[in-house]
């Protein structure tokens, strides 16, 4: 009898023709995430198994539970599919556990096994009752639930399942470019996009000297936290100072945020195409600020033909904060360092901007040459799992 990790697939079990494609992507992501560990990963259409030593098994589980596409994880005992060996292993396991009530559930995946699932559960239940005193069966609310999966070569005996993230494996849907600020919403949007199988690259707009090195490092730290779910993420850093100062000098204050966001979208679309991304992703939430009313979104979105995904668009702020806390980005996001969206903030930004006015205001300065310069001079770095932390 040996301990191994058993992986149960999530939503991808609904896939048919493309199922192997999804499984292979999980395998690839898992292999990358566990590159520092001595493991053997075995995959098939129904399950995935990880063989490792007992000393690192908990560390491996903690990494694997953050890989999208997995429904649950089990630390299980693996034995040969032989009735006598299964029974002796069950007794060895259950005699080490203190419980008063129990239930046995059997999944007979190998239909050539001579005993049905229900009958084998009854047989194992009787065996436990006979050999462990002062216990009883409770099929509705057992203190201890013993699960047995019978497969052709091996049988797996376990009790607890560790809930994983579900969703689709990162990368299966292609790449998206996340417009990452230092706030609460955009890291959550990136997390939710990854859950749907989108591999992230990120773009961040800085405006030195108006924004600080600490603000930039804050964003790098947020990317390093998202590395929990995607081992390596490319971050494109755009110097937005010249464009932002031109907007401040030439544009009606009411329209400054609208024009600024339109410039960011233009730049992001160009960077997206350069890096073979398919969609833009951002943390816009309907009605949260002036630039996120439906009218504002429509006017701002007008500069791009690229699909834009807004994963938190219909969540309220408290729901977004709950997710941010769960994925450990919240405490970093609330650090008090200003980004491009919070400097030069007008007192009364327009809530319902007009496209015609936006187009007219944009004629006041040569933004095309500024955009080309900003893209040409962009800084691109790759932030990876286990990389050093950033000073903020």
């Amino acid at each position: 009898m040996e301990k191994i990790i058993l992986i149960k697939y999530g939503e991808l079990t609904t896939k048919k023709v493309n199922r192997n494609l999804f499984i292979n992507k999980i395998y690839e992501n898992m292999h990358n995430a566990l590159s520092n560990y001595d493991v053997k990963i075995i995959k098939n259409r129904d399950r995935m198994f990880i063989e490792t030593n007992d000393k690192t098994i908990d560390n491996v589980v903690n990494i694997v539970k953050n890989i999208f596409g997995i429904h649950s994880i089990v630390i299980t005992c693996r034995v040969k599919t032989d009735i006598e060996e299964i029974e002796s292993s069950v007794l060895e396991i259950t005699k080490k556990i203190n419980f008063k009530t129990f239930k046995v559930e059997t999944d007979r995946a190998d239909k050539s096994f001579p005993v049905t699932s229900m009958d084998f559960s009854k047989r194992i239940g009787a065996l436990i009752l006979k050999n462990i005193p002062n216990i009883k069966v409770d099929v509705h609310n057992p203190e201890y639930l013993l699960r047995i999966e019978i497969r052709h070569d091996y049988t797996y005996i376990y009790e607890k399942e560790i809930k994983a993230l579900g969703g689709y494996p990162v990368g299966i849907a292609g790449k998206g470019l996340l417009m990452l600020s230092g706030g609460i919403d955009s890291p959550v949007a990136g997390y939710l996009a990854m859950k749907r199988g989108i591999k992230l690259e990120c773009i961040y707009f800085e405006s030195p000297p108006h924004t600080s090195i600490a603000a930039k490092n804050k964003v790098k730290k947020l990317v390093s936290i998202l590395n929990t779910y995607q081992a390596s993420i490319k971050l494109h850093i755009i110097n937005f100072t010249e464009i932002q100062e031109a907007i401040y000098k030439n544009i009606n204050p009411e329209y400054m945020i609208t024009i600024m966001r339109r410039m960011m979208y233009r730049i992001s679309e160009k960077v997206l195409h350069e890096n073979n991304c398919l969609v833009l992703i951002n943390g816009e939430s309907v009605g949260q600020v002036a630039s996120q009313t439906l009218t504002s979104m429509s006017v701002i979105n007008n500069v791009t033909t690229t699909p834009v995904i807004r994963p938190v668009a219909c969540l309220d702020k408290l729901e977004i904060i709950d997710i941010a806390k769960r994925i450990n980005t919240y405490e970093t996001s609330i650090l008090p360092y200003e980004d491009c969206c919070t400097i030069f903030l007008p007192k009364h930004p327009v809530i319902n901007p007009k496209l015609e006015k936006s187009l007219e205001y944009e004629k006041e300065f040569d933004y095309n040459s500024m955009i080309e310069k900003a893209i040409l001079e962009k800084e691109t770095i790759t932030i990876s799992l286990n990389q050093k932390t950033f000073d903020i």
Side-chain angles (χ1 to χ4, degrees):
M1 183 170 63
E2 60 178 332
K3 278 187 178 181
I4 68 163
I5 300 168
L6 182 151
I7 304 298
K8 296 186 177 182
Y9 304 134
E11 190 177 348
L12 64 89
T13 56
T14 61
K15 303 300 175 185
K16 295 181 181 179
V17 176
N18 294 323
R19 182 164 176 164
N20 285 337
L21 185 66
F22 281 72
I23 292 169
N24 289 338
K25 180 56 72 173
I26 293 178
Y27 178 87
E28 177 188 327
N29 293 346
M30 189 178 295
H31 187 270
N32 291 336
L34 297 175
S35 60
N36 292 330
Y37 289 86
D38 182 17
V39 298
K40 180 181 179 182
I41 306 170
I42 303 161
K43 60 182 170 69
N44 60 43
R45 280 182 62 83
D46 302 306
R47 295 285 187 265
M48 196 172 289
F49 306 95
I50 305 174
E51 298 176 0
T52 188
N53 62 66
D54 287 351
K55 292 181 180 179
T56 60
I57 197 165
D58 290 335
N59 290 338
V60 170
V61 167
N62 285 333
I63 292 171
V64 170
K65 71 182 181 182
N66 289 317
I67 296 175
F68 288 114
I70 296 171
H71 173 69
S72 62
I73 305 159
V74 173
I75 299 176
T76 180
C77 293
R78 181 172 69 180
V79 301
K80 290 181 180 178
T81 298
D82 172 83
I83 291 178
E84 290 185 2
E85 187 165 344
I86 295 170
E87 290 180 338
S88 64
S89 298
V90 164
L91 288 179
E92 184 180 342
I93 293 166
T94 54
K95 284 181 177 180
K96 296 176 182 177
I97 299 168
N98 184 26
F99 60 93
K100 295 297 183 183
T101 62
F102 76 101
K103 177 184 177 181
V104 179
E105 290 183 353
T106 302
D107 176 10
R108 188 184 62 142
D110 176 14
K111 301 306 179 185
S112 67
F113 189 75
V115 186
T116 66
S117 296
M118 186 174 293
D119 287 344
F120 198 69
S121 292
K122 292 177 181 178
R123 176 171 178 154
I124 295 297
L127 178 71
I128 295 171
L129 286 170
K130 182 179 178 180
N131 286 275
I132 302 177
N134 303 318
I135 61 170
K136 62 180 181 179
V137 173
D138 183 346
V139 297
H140 300 295
N141 189 28
E143 186 180 344
Y144 176 64
L145 175 60
L146 181 71
R147 292 185 170 98
I148 302 171
E149 282 194 19
I150 300 171
R151 299 189 174 274
H152 180 66
D153 294 324
Y154 295 102
T155 290
Y156 302 89
I157 306 166
Y158 57 92
E159 48 179 309
K160 296 177 181 177
E161 289 193 31
I162 301 165
K163 184 174 174 57
L165 297 177
Y168 290 153
V170 171
I172 197 69
K175 286 199 300 182
L177 183 65
L178 172 66
M179 300 172 72
L180 182 63
S181 71
I184 296 169
D185 302 338
S186 57
V188 171
Y191 167 84
L192 294 174
M194 285 188 286
K195 187 170 184 177
R196 300 316 298 161
I198 300 173
K199 183 177 181 180
L200 292 187
E201 292 193 13
C202 301
I203 186 167
Y204 167 65
F205 295 86
E206 65 172 350
S207 190
H210 311 295
T211 58
S212 65
I213 293 295
K216 183 177 180 177
N217 284 341
K218 174 183 172 181
V219 169
K220 291 180 181 178
K221 177 64 182 297
L222 288 171
V223 174
S224 73
I225 296 171
L226 293 177
N227 281 145
T228 303
Y229 313 99
Q230 182 182 315
S232 179
I233 300 175
K234 191 182 289 185
L235 173 64
H236 306 282
I237 301 168
I238 302 291
N239 188 322
F240 200 59
T241 305
E242 186 179 12
I243 297 172
Q244 195 152 23
E245 289 180 347
I247 291 171
Y248 181 72
K249 292 173 183 175
N250 293 285
I251 303 301
N252 181 324
E254 289 186 348
Y255 271 75
M256 281 169 49
I257 297 297
T258 301
I259 303 304
M260 180 189 73
R261 294 293 292 173
R262 282 166 61 89
M263 297 301 161
M264 287 179 171
Y265 268 61
R266 286 183 171 106
I267 292 170
S268 296
E269 183 175 53
K270 289 179 181 294
V271 173
L272 173 145
H273 289 310
E274 285 181 359
N275 291 274
N276 300 312
C277 296
L278 300 174
V279 293
L280 284 175
I281 305 157
N282 62 43
E284 293 174 351
S285 177
V286 175
Q288 188 172 149
V289 293
S291 64
Q292 295 174 17
T293 65
L294 293 183
T295 307
S296 288
M297 287 183 181
S298 177
V299 171
I300 293 166
N301 212 109
N302 177 263
V303 302
T304 178
T305 58
T306 298
V308 180
I309 295 176
R310 300 174 174 87
V312 301
C314 296
L315 301 182
D316 64 40
K317 194 68 176 184
L318 293 179
E319 290 173 313
I320 299 169
I321 288 171
D322 284 344
I323 299 173
K325 289 180 177 178
R326 177 157 50 85
I327 66 174
N328 297 318
T329 57
Y330 179 74
E331 294 299 330
T332 301
S333 291
I334 63 173
L335 291 173
Y337 303 113
E338 290 190 322
D339 59 31
C340 282
C341 295
T342 55
I343 61 173
F344 304 141
L345 201 61
K347 288 185 178 180
H348 303 291
V350 64
I351 295 175
N352 295 303
K354 305 297 182 184
L355 178 59
E356 296 77 13
K357 281 191 175 183
S358 298
L359 293 170
E360 193 63 31
Y361 285 137
E362 287 175 347
K363 293 177 182 177
E364 296 297 320
F365 66 105
D366 181 16
Y367 63 82
N368 284 313
S369 61
M370 294 180 185
I371 285 175
E372 293 303 323
K373 180 183 176 185
I375 293 172
L376 185 65
E377 295 177 353
K378 75 178 184 297
E379 175 189 1
T380 298
I381 61 174
T382 299
I383 299 174
S384 301
L385 200 64
N386 302 320
Q387 192 168 334
K388 74 175 184 69
T389 56
F390 298 94
D391 297 326
I392 51 176

mmCIF file of all heavy atoms in Angstrom, residues 131-161:
data_model
loop_
_atom_site.group_PDB
_atom_site.id
_atom_site.type_symbol
_atom_site.label_atom_id
_atom_site.label_comp_id
_atom_site.label_asym_id
_atom_site.label_seq_id
_atom_site.Cartn_x
_atom_site.Cartn_y
_atom_site.Cartn_z
ATOM 1 N N ASN A 131 -14.448 -5.836 12.951
ATOM 2 C CA ASN A 131 -13.077 -5.712 13.454
ATOM 3 C C ASN A 131 -12.813 -4.475 14.324
ATOM 4 O O ASN A 131 -11.759 -4.390 14.958
ATOM 5 C CB ASN A 131 -12.098 -5.698 12.279
ATOM 6 C CG ASN A 131 -11.935 -7.064 11.650
ATOM 7 O OD1 ASN A 131 -11.135 -7.872 12.099
ATOM 8 N ND2 ASN A 131 -12.734 -7.328 10.608
ATOM 9 N N ILE A 132 -13.742 -3.529 14.341
ATOM 10 C CA ILE A 132 -13.568 -2.336 15.170
ATOM 11 C C ILE A 132 -14.775 -2.219 16.099
ATOM 12 O O ILE A 132 -15.908 -2.096 15.630
ATOM 13 C CB ILE A 132 -13.422 -1.071 14.300
ATOM 14 C CG1 ILE A 132 -12.230 -1.208 13.347
ATOM 15 C CG2 ILE A 132 -13.268 0.171 15.176
ATOM 16 C CD1 ILE A 132 -12.046 -0.040 12.410
ATOM 17 N N PRO A 133 -14.564 -2.261 17.414
ATOM 18 C CA PRO A 133 -15.691 -2.256 18.359
ATOM 19 C C PRO A 133 -16.313 -0.872 18.537
ATOM 20 O O PRO A 133 -15.702 0.159 18.244
ATOM 21 C CB PRO A 133 -15.037 -2.722 19.671
ATOM 22 C CG PRO A 133 -13.614 -2.294 19.555
ATOM 23 C CD PRO A 133 -13.266 -2.407 18.101
ATOM 24 N N ASN A 134 -17.555 -0.856 19.001
ATOM 25 C CA ASN A 134 -18.255 0.356 19.430
ATOM 26 C C ASN A 134 -18.444 1.390 18.318
ATOM 27 O O ASN A 134 -18.324 2.595 18.535
ATOM 28 C CB ASN A 134 -17.527 1.007 20.616
ATOM 29 C CG ASN A 134 -17.379 0.066 21.787
ATOM 30 O OD1 ASN A 134 -18.310 -0.665 22.132
ATOM 31 N ND2 ASN A 134 -16.194 0.055 22.400
ATOM 32 N N ILE A 135 -18.712 0.903 17.121
ATOM 33 C CA ILE A 135 -19.015 1.796 16.004
ATOM 34 C C ILE A 135 -20.285 1.320 15.327
ATOM 35 O O ILE A 135 -20.732 0.174 15.532
ATOM 36 C CB ILE A 135 -17.866 1.857 14.975
ATOM 37 C CG1 ILE A 135 -17.605 0.470 14.357
ATOM 38 C CG2 ILE A 135 -16.604 2.438 15.593
ATOM 39 C CD1 ILE A 135 -16.653 0.505 13.180
ATOM 40 N N LYS A 136 -20.884 2.187 14.509
ATOM 41 C CA LYS A 136 -22.077 1.793 13.765
ATOM 42 C C LYS A 136 -22.119 2.534 12.433
ATOM 43 O O LYS A 136 -21.455 3.560 12.244
ATOM 44 C CB LYS A 136 -23.339 2.064 14.570
ATOM 45 C CG LYS A 136 -23.585 3.522 14.911
ATOM 46 C CD LYS A 136 -24.867 3.677 15.726
ATOM 47 C CE LYS A 136 -25.132 5.150 16.044
ATOM 48 N NZ LYS A 136 -26.395 5.322 16.827
ATOM 49 N N VAL A 137 -22.939 2.024 11.532
ATOM 50 C CA VAL A 137 -23.109 2.630 10.215
ATOM 51 C C VAL A 137 -24.125 3.769 10.300
ATOM 52 O O VAL A 137 -25.149 3.646 10.970
ATOM 53 C CB VAL A 137 -23.577 1.575 9.186
ATOM 54 C CG1 VAL A 137 -23.915 2.241 7.858
ATOM 55 C CG2 VAL A 137 -22.527 0.502 9.004
ATOM 56 N N ASP A 138 -23.825 4.878 9.634
ATOM 57 C CA ASP A 138 -24.752 6.002 9.495
ATOM 58 C C ASP A 138 -24.654 6.489 8.048
ATOM 59 O O ASP A 138 -23.692 7.153 7.665
ATOM 60 C CB ASP A 138 -24.393 7.126 10.463
ATOM 61 C CG ASP A 138 -25.378 8.284 10.412
ATOM 62 O OD1 ASP A 138 -26.182 8.353 9.457
ATOM 63 O OD2 ASP A 138 -25.337 9.142 11.314
ATOM 64 N N VAL A 139 -25.643 6.146 7.233
ATOM 65 C CA VAL A 139 -25.565 6.458 5.801
ATOM 66 C C VAL A 139 -25.924 7.913 5.499
ATOM 67 O O VAL A 139 -25.692 8.395 4.387
ATOM 68 C CB VAL A 139 -26.469 5.520 4.967
ATOM 69 C CG1 VAL A 139 -26.008 4.079 5.096
ATOM 70 C CG2 VAL A 139 -27.932 5.662 5.382
ATOM 71 N N HIS A 140 -26.505 8.634 6.481
ATOM 72 C CA HIS A 140 -26.956 10.003 6.228
ATOM 73 C C HIS A 140 -25.957 11.057 6.699
ATOM 74 O O HIS A 140 -25.696 12.037 5.992
ATOM 75 C CB HIS A 140 -28.315 10.236 6.905
ATOM 76 C CG HIS A 140 -29.392 9.324 6.409
ATOM 77 N ND1 HIS A 140 -29.859 9.363 5.118
ATOM 78 C CD2 HIS A 140 -30.071 8.329 7.035
ATOM 79 C CE1 HIS A 140 -30.799 8.441 4.953
ATOM 80 N NE2 HIS A 140 -30.944 7.793 6.106
ATOM 81 N N ASN A 141 -25.390 10.881 7.874
ATOM 82 C CA ASN A 141 -24.469 11.875 8.416
ATOM 83 C C ASN A 141 -23.306 11.190 9.140
ATOM 84 O O ASN A 141 -23.161 11.319 10.361
ATOM 85 C CB ASN A 141 -25.220 12.815 9.365
ATOM 86 C CG ASN A 141 -24.389 13.992 9.790
ATOM 87 O OD1 ASN A 141 -23.496 14.439 9.057
ATOM 88 N ND2 ASN A 141 -24.645 14.497 10.996
ATOM 89 N N PRO A 142 -22.482 10.456 8.406
ATOM 90 C CA PRO A 142 -21.413 9.698 9.053
ATOM 91 C C PRO A 142 -20.282 10.596 9.552
ATOM 92 O O PRO A 142 -19.953 11.603 8.930
ATOM 93 C CB PRO A 142 -20.908 8.781 7.935
ATOM 94 C CG PRO A 142 -21.198 9.535 6.685
ATOM 95 C CD PRO A 142 -22.480 10.284 6.943
ATOM 96 N N GLU A 143 -19.706 10.224 10.664
ATOM 97 C CA GLU A 143 -18.532 10.923 11.171
ATOM 98 C C GLU A 143 -17.322 10.648 10.282
ATOM 99 O O GLU A 143 -16.454 11.503 10.111
ATOM 100 C CB GLU A 143 -18.264 10.458 12.602
ATOM 101 C CG GLU A 143 -17.165 11.196 13.327
ATOM 102 C CD GLU A 143 -16.967 10.681 14.740
ATOM 103 O OE1 GLU A 143 -17.848 9.972 15.258
ATOM 104 O OE2 GLU A 143 -15.903 10.983 15.311
ATOM 105 N N TYR A 144 -17.291 9.453 9.703
ATOM 106 C CA TYR A 144 -16.160 9.046 8.858
ATOM 107 C C TYR A 144 -16.698 8.435 7.568
ATOM 108 O O TYR A 144 -17.523 7.513 7.601
ATOM 109 C CB TYR A 144 -15.296 8.031 9.605
ATOM 110 C CG TYR A 144 -14.154 7.453 8.800
ATOM 111 C CD1 TYR A 144 -13.126 8.262 8.352
ATOM 112 C CD2 TYR A 144 -14.112 6.098 8.483
ATOM 113 C CE1 TYR A 144 -12.065 7.746 7.613
ATOM 114 C CE2 TYR A 144 -13.059 5.562 7.747
ATOM 115 C CZ TYR A 144 -12.039 6.390 7.320
ATOM 116 O OH TYR A 144 -11.004 5.869 6.579
ATOM 117 N N LEU A 145 -16.296 8.982 6.426
ATOM 118 C CA LEU A 145 -16.729 8.473 5.131
ATOM 119 C C LEU A 145 -15.526 7.858 4.416
ATOM 120 O O LEU A 145 -14.556 8.554 4.101
ATOM 121 C CB LEU A 145 -17.322 9.611 4.286
ATOM 122 C CG LEU A 145 -17.724 9.259 2.846
ATOM 123 C CD1 LEU A 145 -18.782 8.160 2.824
ATOM 124 C CD2 LEU A 145 -18.215 10.496 2.103
ATOM 125 N N LEU A 146 -15.609 6.578 4.161
ATOM 126 C CA LEU A 146 -14.540 5.859 3.462
ATOM 127 C C LEU A 146 -14.946 5.676 2.004
ATOM 128 O O LEU A 146 -16.020 5.137 1.711
ATOM 129 C CB LEU A 146 -14.300 4.501 4.116
ATOM 130 C CG LEU A 146 -13.180 3.654 3.495
ATOM 131 C CD1 LEU A 146 -11.821 4.261 3.812
ATOM 132 C CD2 LEU A 146 -13.253 2.208 3.964
ATOM 133 N N ARG A 147 -14.085 6.122 1.096
ATOM 134 C CA ARG A 147 -14.370 6.000 -0.330
ATOM 135 C C ARG A 147 -13.401 5.005 -0.960
ATOM 136 O O ARG A 147 -12.207 5.007 -0.647
ATOM 137 C CB ARG A 147 -14.247 7.354 -1.030
ATOM 138 C CG ARG A 147 -15.317 8.362 -0.624
ATOM 139 C CD ARG A 147 -15.173 9.631 -1.457
ATOM 140 N NE ARG A 147 -16.286 10.531 -1.288
ATOM 141 C CZ ARG A 147 -16.286 11.578 -0.471
ATOM 142 N NH1 ARG A 147 -15.221 11.819 0.270
ATOM 143 N NH2 ARG A 147 -17.338 12.366 -0.386
ATOM 144 N N ILE A 148 -13.929 4.204 -1.877
ATOM 145 C CA ILE A 148 -13.125 3.202 -2.577
ATOM 146 C C ILE A 148 -13.399 3.327 -4.065
ATOM 147 O O ILE A 148 -14.555 3.258 -4.500
ATOM 148 C CB ILE A 148 -13.465 1.765 -2.103
ATOM 149 C CG1 ILE A 148 -13.244 1.636 -0.591
ATOM 150 C CG2 ILE A 148 -12.637 0.729 -2.857
ATOM 151 C CD1 ILE A 148 -13.744 0.331 -0.016
ATOM 152 N N GLU A 149 -12.353 3.572 -4.861
ATOM 153 C CA GLU A 149 -12.469 3.589 -6.320
ATOM 154 C C GLU A 149 -11.768 2.352 -6.871
ATOM 155 O O GLU A 149 -10.557 2.193 -6.708
ATOM 156 C CB GLU A 149 -11.820 4.845 -6.909
ATOM 157 C CG GLU A 149 -12.665 6.086 -6.787
ATOM 158 C CD GLU A 149 -12.158 7.219 -7.672
ATOM 159 O OE1 GLU A 149 -11.398 6.928 -8.626
ATOM 160 O OE2 GLU A 149 -12.523 8.380 -7.415
ATOM 161 N N ILE A 150 -12.545 1.496 -7.534
ATOM 162 C CA ILE A 150 -11.991 0.256 -8.072
ATOM 163 C C ILE A 150 -11.730 0.429 -9.558
ATOM 164 O O ILE A 150 -12.649 0.649 -10.348
ATOM 165 C CB ILE A 150 -12.954 -0.923 -7.840
ATOM 166 C CG1 ILE A 150 -13.203 -1.116 -6.335
ATOM 167 C CG2 ILE A 150 -12.405 -2.212 -8.454
ATOM 168 C CD1 ILE A 150 -14.298 -2.111 -6.024
ATOM 169 N N ARG A 151 -10.459 0.365 -9.937
ATOM 170 C CA ARG A 151 -10.068 0.483 -11.340
ATOM 171 C C ARG A 151 -9.318 -0.781 -11.749
ATOM 172 O O ARG A 151 -9.069 -1.665 -10.921
ATOM 173 C CB ARG A 151 -9.245 1.754 -11.556
ATOM 174 C CG ARG A 151 -10.073 2.988 -11.207
ATOM 175 C CD ARG A 151 -9.442 4.302 -11.572
ATOM 176 N NE ARG A 151 -10.411 5.368 -11.307
ATOM 177 C CZ ARG A 151 -11.345 5.766 -12.147
ATOM 178 N NH1 ARG A 151 -11.420 5.225 -13.355
ATOM 179 N NH2 ARG A 151 -12.197 6.706 -11.822
ATOM 180 N N HIS A 152 -8.986 -0.878 -13.039
ATOM 181 C CA HIS A 152 -8.501 -2.152 -13.577
ATOM 182 C C HIS A 152 -7.219 -2.629 -12.894
ATOM 183 O O HIS A 152 -7.145 -3.768 -12.433
ATOM 184 C CB HIS A 152 -8.260 -2.025 -15.084
ATOM 185 C CG HIS A 152 -7.748 -3.293 -15.720
ATOM 186 N ND1 HIS A 152 -8.522 -4.436 -15.795
ATOM 187 C CD2 HIS A 152 -6.550 -3.588 -16.279
ATOM 188 C CE1 HIS A 152 -7.811 -5.387 -16.385
ATOM 189 N NE2 HIS A 152 -6.606 -4.905 -16.682
ATOM 190 N N ASP A 153 -6.216 -1.771 -12.826
ATOM 191 C CA ASP A 153 -4.931 -2.183 -12.249
ATOM 192 C C ASP A 153 -4.863 -1.948 -10.745
ATOM 193 O O ASP A 153 -4.294 -2.750 -10.008
ATOM 194 C CB ASP A 153 -3.784 -1.419 -12.923
ATOM 195 C CG ASP A 153 -3.643 -1.803 -14.386
ATOM 196 O OD1 ASP A 153 -3.869 -2.983 -14.698
ATOM 197 O OD2 ASP A 153 -3.326 -0.917 -15.208
ATOM 198 N N TYR A 154 -5.429 -0.806 -10.318
ATOM 199 C CA TYR A 154 -5.302 -0.429 -8.914
ATOM 200 C C TYR A 154 -6.650 -0.012 -8.345
ATOM 201 O O TYR A 154 -7.558 0.383 -9.068
ATOM 202 C CB TYR A 154 -4.312 0.738 -8.746
ATOM 203 C CG TYR A 154 -2.897 0.405 -9.120
ATOM 204 C CD1 TYR A 154 -2.364 0.832 -10.347
ATOM 205 C CD2 TYR A 154 -2.067 -0.320 -8.255
ATOM 206 C CE1 TYR A 154 -1.055 0.536 -10.692
ATOM 207 C CE2 TYR A 154 -0.761 -0.622 -8.598
ATOM 208 C CZ TYR A 154 -0.252 -0.194 -9.816
ATOM 209 O OH TYR A 154 1.041 -0.502 -10.165
ATOM 210 N N THR A 155 -6.727 -0.071 -7.020
ATOM 211 C CA THR A 155 -7.879 0.441 -6.278
ATOM 212 C C THR A 155 -7.377 1.550 -5.346
ATOM 213 O O THR A 155 -6.292 1.436 -4.766
ATOM 214 C CB THR A 155 -8.561 -0.676 -5.488
ATOM 215 O OG1 THR A 155 -9.203 -1.565 -6.410
ATOM 216 C CG2 THR A 155 -9.606 -0.128 -4.524
ATOM 217 N N TYR A 156 -8.199 2.595 -5.197
ATOM 218 C CA TYR A 156 -7.803 3.761 -4.421
ATOM 219 C C TYR A 156 -8.737 3.914 -3.224
ATOM 220 O O TYR A 156 -9.970 3.912 -3.374
ATOM 221 C CB TYR A 156 -7.841 5.008 -5.310
ATOM 222 C CG TYR A 156 -6.936 4.848 -6.513
ATOM 223 C CD1 TYR A 156 -7.415 4.291 -7.701
ATOM 224 C CD2 TYR A 156 -5.592 5.193 -6.443
ATOM 225 C CE1 TYR A 156 -6.580 4.102 -8.791
ATOM 226 C CE2 TYR A 156 -4.746 5.011 -7.531
ATOM 227 C CZ TYR A 156 -5.246 4.464 -8.699
ATOM 228 O OH TYR A 156 -4.410 4.261 -9.769
ATOM 229 N N ILE A 157 -8.142 4.023 -2.046
ATOM 230 C CA ILE A 157 -8.887 4.090 -0.792
ATOM 231 C C ILE A 157 -8.576 5.430 -0.133
ATOM 232 O O ILE A 157 -7.414 5.761 0.106
ATOM 233 C CB ILE A 157 -8.483 2.934 0.148
ATOM 234 C CG1 ILE A 157 -8.638 1.578 -0.563
ATOM 235 C CG2 ILE A 157 -9.317 2.970 1.422
ATOM 236 C CD1 ILE A 157 -7.963 0.433 0.160
ATOM 237 N N TYR A 158 -9.619 6.212 0.161
ATOM 238 C CA TYR A 158 -9.386 7.531 0.753
ATOM 239 C C TYR A 158 -10.609 7.982 1.522
ATOM 240 O O TYR A 158 -11.672 7.367 1.465
ATOM 241 C CB TYR A 158 -9.021 8.545 -0.324
ATOM 242 C CG TYR A 158 -10.042 8.710 -1.431
ATOM 243 C CD1 TYR A 158 -11.030 9.677 -1.346
ATOM 244 C CD2 TYR A 158 -10.003 7.904 -2.577
ATOM 245 C CE1 TYR A 158 -11.959 9.839 -2.363
ATOM 246 C CE2 TYR A 158 -10.925 8.059 -3.602
ATOM 247 C CZ TYR A 158 -11.897 9.026 -3.484
ATOM 248 O OH TYR A 158 -12.819 9.181 -4.484
ATOM 249 N N GLU A 159 -10.444 9.105 2.237
ATOM 250 C CA GLU A 159 -11.563 9.635 3.011
ATOM 251 C C GLU A 159 -11.926 11.065 2.624
ATOM 252 O O GLU A 159 -13.059 11.350 2.282
ATOM 253 C CB GLU A 159 -11.257 9.559 4.514
ATOM 254 C CG GLU A 159 -9.880 10.087 4.899
ATOM 255 C CD GLU A 159 -9.646 10.013 6.388
ATOM 256 O OE1 GLU A 159 -10.510 10.495 7.134
ATOM 257 O OE2 GLU A 159 -8.595 9.498 6.813
ATOM 258 N N LYS A 160 -10.964 11.991 2.634
ATOM 259 C CA LYS A 160 -11.268 13.400 2.423
ATOM 260 C C LYS A 160 -10.897 13.857 1.020
ATOM 261 O O LYS A 160 -9.879 13.454 0.483
ATOM 262 C CB LYS A 160 -10.528 14.268 3.445
ATOM 263 C CG LYS A 160 -10.954 14.027 4.882
ATOM 264 C CD LYS A 160 -10.129 14.872 5.838
ATOM 265 C CE LYS A 160 -10.525 14.616 7.290
ATOM 266 N NZ LYS A 160 -9.671 15.380 8.230
ATOM 267 N N GLU A 161 -11.737 14.723 0.453
ATOM 268 C CA GLU A 161 -11.412 15.393 -0.800
ATOM 269 C C GLU A 161 -11.105 16.860 -0.508
ATOM 270 O O GLU A 161 -11.798 17.501 0.273
ATOM 271 C CB GLU A 161 -12.573 15.307 -1.796
ATOM 272 C CG GLU A 161 -12.790 13.925 -2.370
ATOM 273 C CD GLU A 161 -13.729 13.940 -3.558
ATOM 274 O OE1 GLU A 161 -13.750 14.953 -4.282
ATOM 275 O OE2 GLU A 161 -14.436 12.946 -3.755
#
